[in-house]
């Protein structure tokens, strides 16, 4: 039997029928998108900013559903978009940092079942399959990212630097602890 814990830390294999084919995703109106996420799994990419030398991670204070509190930077991957390219696009949109796809190290694949969501009707929840990457960031990059977080989605305090003890004390979502342990396996 395959160990599900090992599967979560293996990047999925991607098969492309025709490398020349490009999908053209369309923007969905809010009401259509709300219907879609009620029926389909949303595929996302999140990044765990880290300082490996200090064994710390940097989390933002989200203030919108589905995940309020200390969380990662992330968002939806577009149809036909490779996960690392999507991650680079999302980080640029959310933080103004332009990091090449090679800066993102695959960390884990998680699936989240959230009981609510930002879109109406909120009580319908969200089912998200999430590629999670780790990116080491410099203090300057972190300052730039913190200054550009969307105040509609994040608290303006920027990022909170956390070691494992601080994550436990903050009672973060269990996935954050799992990601920390994956990023720093010598600690686990």
């Amino acid at each position: 039997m395959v160990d599900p814990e090992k599967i979560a830390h293996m990047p999925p294999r991607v098969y492309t029928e025709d490398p020349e084919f490009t999908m053209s995703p369309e923007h969905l109106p809010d009401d259509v998108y709300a219907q879609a996420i009620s029926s389909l799994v949303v595929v996302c990419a999140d990044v765990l900013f880290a300082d490996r030398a200090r064994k710390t991670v940097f989390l933002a204070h989200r203030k919108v559903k589905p995940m309020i509190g200390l969380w990662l930077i992330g968002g939806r991957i577009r149809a036909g978009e490779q996960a690392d390219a999507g991650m680079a696009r999302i980080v640029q949109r959310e933080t103004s940092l332009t990091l090449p796809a090679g800066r993102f190290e695959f960390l884990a694949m998680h699936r989240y079942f959230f009981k609510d969501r930002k879109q109406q009707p909120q009580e319908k929840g969200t089912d998200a399959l999430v590629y999670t990457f780790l990116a080491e960031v410099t203090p300057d990059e972190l300052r730039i990212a913190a200054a550009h977080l969307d105040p509609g989605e994040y608290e303006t305090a920027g990022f909170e630097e956390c070691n494992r003890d601080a994550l436990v004390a903050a009672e973060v979502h269990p996935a954050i602890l799992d990601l920390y342990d994956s990023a720093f396996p010598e600690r686990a």
Side-chain angles (χ1 to χ4, degrees), residues 88 98-104:
T98 303
L99 303 179
R103 290 270 305 268
F104 300 103

Side-chain angles (χ1 to χ4, degrees), residues 112-173:
Y112 299 102
F113 297 99
F114 291 113
K115 67 178 181 166
D116 50 23
R117 63 188 191 202
K118 179 180 176 182
Q119 298 79 12
Q120 295 294 332
Q122 291 184 336
E123 70 281 356
K124 288 277 190 174
T126 302
D127 180 353
L129 184 63
V130 181
Y131 292 83
T132 307
F133 295 90
L134 180 137
E136 287 198 71
V137 288
T138 66
D140 284 341
E141 289 171 330
L142 201 60
R143 276 191 290 282
I144 291 166
H148 290 90
L149 292 175
D150 178 356
E153 188 170 346
Y154 300 98
E155 299 294 337
T156 56
F159 292 91
E160 187 167 330
E161 183 176 13
C162 301
N163 61 21
R164 194 174 199 291
D165 291 338
L167 295 172
V168 170
E171 299 180 357
V172 296
H173 191 284

Side-chain angles (χ1 to χ4, degrees), residues 1-187:
M1 180 153 197
V2 178
D3 180 359
E5 190 61 28
K6 287 183 182 177
I7 291 173
H9 302 288
M10 295 172 39
R13 291 187 176 119
V14 177
Y15 300 95
T16 304
E17 181 184 26
D18 178 357
E20 302 299 318
F21 176 75
T22 303
M23 294 185 76
S24 300
E26 296 182 25
H27 179 78
L28 299 176
D30 289 345
D31 61 327
V32 174
Y33 181 71
Q35 285 182 305
I37 64 173
S38 293
S39 303
L40 304 171
V41 177
V42 178
V43 180
C44 299
D46 286 349
V47 65
L48 181 66
F49 287 146
D51 181 331
R52 284 227 164 112
R54 295 170 51 91
K55 292 187 172 74
T56 58
V57 297
F58 302 94
L59 301 172
H61 290 267
R62 278 183 53 92
K63 60 183 185 180
V64 297
K65 295 176 181 185
M67 191 58 231
I68 295 174
L70 286 173
W71 198 249
L72 311 157
I73 299 298
R76 290 176 296 283
I77 295 176
R78 295 177 179 156
E81 186 174 46
Q82 295 296 326
D84 57 351
M87 187 75 269
R89 176 186 55 77
I90 292 163
V91 165
Q92 201 287 322
R93 183 193 69 220
E94 297 283 318
T95 68
S96 84
L97 292 178
T98 303
L99 303 179
R103 290 270 305 268
F104 300 103
E105 173 189 333
F106 180 80
L107 196 56
M109 189 86 176
H110 288 157
R111 189 158 181 193
Y112 299 102
F113 297 99
F114 291 113
K115 67 178 181 166
D116 50 23
R117 63 188 191 202
K118 179 180 176 182
Q119 298 79 12
Q120 295 294 332
Q122 291 184 336
E123 70 281 356
K124 288 277 190 174
T126 302
D127 180 353
L129 184 63
V130 181
Y131 292 83
T132 307
F133 295 90
L134 180 137
E136 287 198 71
V137 288
T138 66
D140 284 341
E141 289 171 330
L142 201 60
R143 276 191 290 282
I144 291 166
H148 290 90
L149 292 175
D150 178 356
E153 188 170 346
Y154 300 98
E155 299 294 337
T156 56
F159 292 91
E160 187 167 330
E161 183 176 13
C162 301
N163 61 21
R164 194 174 199 291
D165 291 338
L167 295 172
V168 170
E171 299 180 357
V172 296
H173 191 284
I176 300 293
L177 292 174
D178 289 343
L179 292 167
Y180 182 94
D181 292 341
S182 294
F184 305 106
E186 66 279 0
R187 169 85 172 97

